[in-house]
Amino acid sequence: MLEYEYRVLTFDRHTSKAAARQEIREHAEYGRWELARSVVYEGGVRRMWLRRRIMRVDRTA
């Protein structure tokens, strides 16, 4: 069974699409996050859910 951790990013309506895209790109490249869901609300607020797999490490000794 895969387990994920989530991070929610919220951008106000004054944030450009390019700036929001750049921030998500940085999270994906350096933090291994992937875009799970995005929603644009009526007032122009964008909310994006990022997720990444939780890697469990078993102790060997």
Side-chain angles (χ1 to χ4, degrees):
M1 180 176 176
L2 295 176
E3 294 182 18
Y4 292 97
E5 63 178 314
Y6 290 89
R7 173 173 286 178
V8 179
L9 300 177
T10 304
F11 301 100
D12 62 355
R13 62 186 214 141
H14 302 293
T15 305
S16 67
K17 286 183 181 180
R21 190 179 306 127
Q22 178 64 31
E23 187 167 341
I24 290 173
R25 187 179 301 133
E26 289 175 3
H27 281 285
E29 185 174 345
Y30 300 116
R32 297 187 178 210
W33 293 93
E34 63 183 22
L35 182 63
R37 180 176 181 216
S38 65
V39 175
V40 179
Y41 292 101
E42 189 173 328
V45 174
R46 286 187 212 87
R47 185 164 289 159
M48 301 186 184
W49 285 263
L50 304 176
R51 72 177 185 180
R52 68 178 170 187
R53 283 183 49 188
I54 297 174
M55 299 181 74
R56 303 281 183 206
V57 178
D58 294 330
R59 189 174 176 157
T60 58

